[in-house]
Amino acid sequence: MFERPASGERAVLVQLDLGQGAIDERLSELHLLASSAGATVQAVVRGRRAAPDPALFAGRGKVEEIAEALRVHEGDLVIFNHALSPGQQRNLERTLQCRVVDRTALILDIFALRARSHEGKLQVELAQLQHLSTRLVRGWTHLERQKGGIGLRGPGETQLETDRRLLGIRVKALKSRLAQVSRQRQTRRRQRERRDVLSVSLVGYTNAGKSTLFNTMTKAGAYAADQLFATLDTTSRKLFVGTGNVVLSDTVGFIRDLPHALVAAFEATLEETAGADLLLHVVDSASDDRDAQIEAVDQVLGEIGAGDVPQILVWNKIDLTHAAPAVERDDCGRIRRVFLSARTGDGLDLLRAALAEAAQSHGAEVPAQVASSATLPDTESI
């Protein structure tokens, strides 16, 4: 029986083309995920298959290629940019004699590094335990040993059963504590609704610049960095637009193929998004993969019940694309897109005016002169 290695940072990355498209972008994202988790990429193994191999996911020949890459580059960790079944992970670790991590476990590891608040740590622990519960499949030698000893012999309880029972108790406790957090959020949300304050949530693909935009607009000083999942904890601040206020919330970034365990574990945080009156969907306009990123964010929004919340696309990082600050409206005259740079501040006045216009439509007390200044020029020609 194979005893799983406890550590490893010299990684070999594996990306297979299963017909999902955008392989180069997916591989580039995997590089960023691996470096965000603290891994040093030693080699990359690519391949193409019509469907995953049931036992090894990558197939026998490709696994031999991975083993050779481990030997040549002295790697001690293999990272698959795919979701592996418990059996596939166990078989790969036995064959390669090193630790194998799939995309879900890699993202969970990054979340564990980034969690700062008590709530964030609870949510990450819940997601990790839910993921681990599917991995208790006799892949670890200690899980097959029967408890025993003088006075304790008999049918007893295997270590595997004990681990499952204790894990279930901990998961239940975490869900109870997060339910309490959810009730507290609902109370605060009802208070805002009674005051008729516009609730605005920043959403977007990870590393699109949400936290930078949040800090620039609110001076909150929230952590922001050029890395994936720099922000996990929701931060809310009042924002003055004209002579009225809105509540602006910065939330966790999304990513394609976001593990369902994370969506479930972060339900309390994501409720802030689902309960918002308006979403500012921040887009990295300098990314060649921006259309797929927008689609991935919209998919997650649909999963959490926020698919019908009104959106304004914030076309960020125009300083890299050399575009001009502008506003784009739809055929009904509603603001559809704002072009700006959160880093340089260009176009922020247009976004503030857009929020003032949204606040007036919502019914917040915004004076007529502010509403007038929010009537921005039509830029359909962009």
Side-chain angles (χ1 to χ4, degrees):
M1 188 68 73
F2 174 58
E3 188 77 53
R4 306 188 76 221
S7 63
E9 295 181 350
R10 299 188 302 274
V12 172
L13 307 185
V14 180
Q15 173 67 66
L16 299 183
D17 183 355
L18 302 173
Q20 67 271 52
I23 297 302
D24 290 337
E25 289 79 6
R26 289 174 182 270
L27 186 56
S28 175
E29 188 172 88
L30 179 60
H31 272 274
L32 289 174
L33 286 170
S35 61
S36 296
T40 302
V41 178
Q42 303 294 104
V44 176
V45 176
R46 301 179 62 164
R48 179 178 296 176
R49 288 184 63 89
D53 179 77
L56 294 169
F57 192 89
R60 181 67 58 181
K62 188 59 63 177
V63 171
E64 291 176 358
E65 183 180 340
I66 297 170
E68 180 64 13
L70 285 168
R71 185 188 65 80
V72 171
H73 298 282
E74 298 182 346
D76 49 22
L77 173 69
V78 175
I79 300 176
F80 274 73
N81 198 23
H82 309 274
L84 301 176
S85 71
Q88 287 168 338
Q89 181 181 3
R90 182 178 68 251
N91 293 337
L92 285 166
E93 291 185 335
R94 284 174 175 167
T95 303
L96 297 172
Q97 289 294 299
C98 75
R99 191 172 183 85
V100 175
V101 175
D102 69 355
R103 180 182 176 86
T104 301
L106 179 62
I107 294 175
L108 286 172
D109 190 70
I110 297 171
F111 271 51
L113 287 172
R114 299 284 189 267
R116 293 290 182 269
S117 70
H118 176 65
E119 178 188 353
K121 292 176 180 178
L122 288 177
Q123 292 174 126
V124 170
E125 183 183 354
L126 175 59
Q128 287 179 319
L129 291 180
Q130 289 175 329
H131 181 66
L132 177 62
S133 66
T134 68
R135 261 60 188 167
L136 298 181
V137 289
R138 294 184 180 274
W140 294 258
T141 57
H142 79 280
L143 295 180
E144 66 179 352
R145 292 196 285 267
Q146 189 92 4
K147 281 184 176 290
I150 297 174
L152 297 174
R153 295 190 178 96
E157 183 178 41
T158 65
Q159 185 65 48
L160 176 61
E161 292 165 344
T162 301
D163 286 355
R164 279 177 173 158
R165 178 171 53 80
L166 295 177
L167 188 148
I169 292 173
R170 180 59 178 167
V171 165
K172 184 177 180 180
L174 289 172
K175 287 183 175 180
S176 175
R177 292 165 73 177
L178 286 172
Q180 182 179 0
V181 172
S182 178
R183 288 192 294 271
Q184 293 170 347
R185 286 186 182 279
Q186 289 173 358
T187 300
R188 291 195 295 268
R189 193 176 302 120
R190 284 195 295 268
Q191 291 174 346
R192 289 200 299 266
E193 290 172 351
R194 283 197 295 268
R195 294 196 300 266
D196 204 21
V197 176
L198 183 72
S199 175
V200 181
S201 283
L202 288 167
V203 300
Y205 208 78
T206 182
N207 209 29
K210 298 188 314 306
S211 295
T212 301
L213 178 61
F214 181 77
N215 286 336
T216 303
M217 296 188 71
T218 66
K219 313 300 181 190
Y223 180 70
D226 184 18
Q227 55 188 206
L228 301 186
F229 302 116
T231 302
L232 289 189
D233 304 310
T234 296
T235 305
S236 297
R237 293 288 187 274
K238 281 186 179 180
L239 177 65
F240 182 74
V241 288
T243 57
N245 288 313
V246 301
V247 174
L248 186 64
S249 299
D250 185 22
T251 61
V252 61
F254 300 150
I255 197 170
R256 60 163 60 91
D257 303 325
L258 188 68
H260 292 290
L262 279 178
V263 175
F266 276 72
E267 182 179 359
T269 296
L270 296 175
E271 279 180 356
E272 196 72 28
T273 299
D277 300 308
L278 175 68
L279 302 180
L280 296 182
H281 184 164
V282 183
V283 179
D284 180 358
S285 63
S287 172
D288 295 334
D289 199 32
R290 59 175 178 261
D291 291 337
Q293 293 177 359
I294 292 172
E295 184 180 349
V297 172
D298 287 338
Q299 181 178 348
V300 177
L301 290 175
E303 290 181 17
I304 64 175
D308 295 330
V309 179
Q311 284 189 28
I312 293 178
L313 286 174
V314 178
W315 223 246
N316 190 25
K317 303 187 182 181
I318 61 171
D319 53 308
L320 301 179
T321 62
H322 307 293
V327 167
E328 185 178 286
R329 295 178 182 269
D330 60 19
D331 294 337
C332 298
R334 292 185 294 264
I335 295 175
R336 174 175 173 266
R337 187 160 46 171
V338 178
F339 296 79
L340 56 78
S341 170
R343 188 178 67 86
T344 65
D346 292 338
L348 286 182
D349 56 331
L350 300 179
L351 182 59
R352 285 181 175 274
L355 289 175
E357 184 174 317
Q360 184 190 36
S361 299
H362 178 70
E365 295 182 0
V366 180
Q369 63 267 27
V370 176
S372 176
S373 67
T375 306
L376 306 171
D378 187 3
T379 56
E380 286 292 334
S381 59
I382 294 176

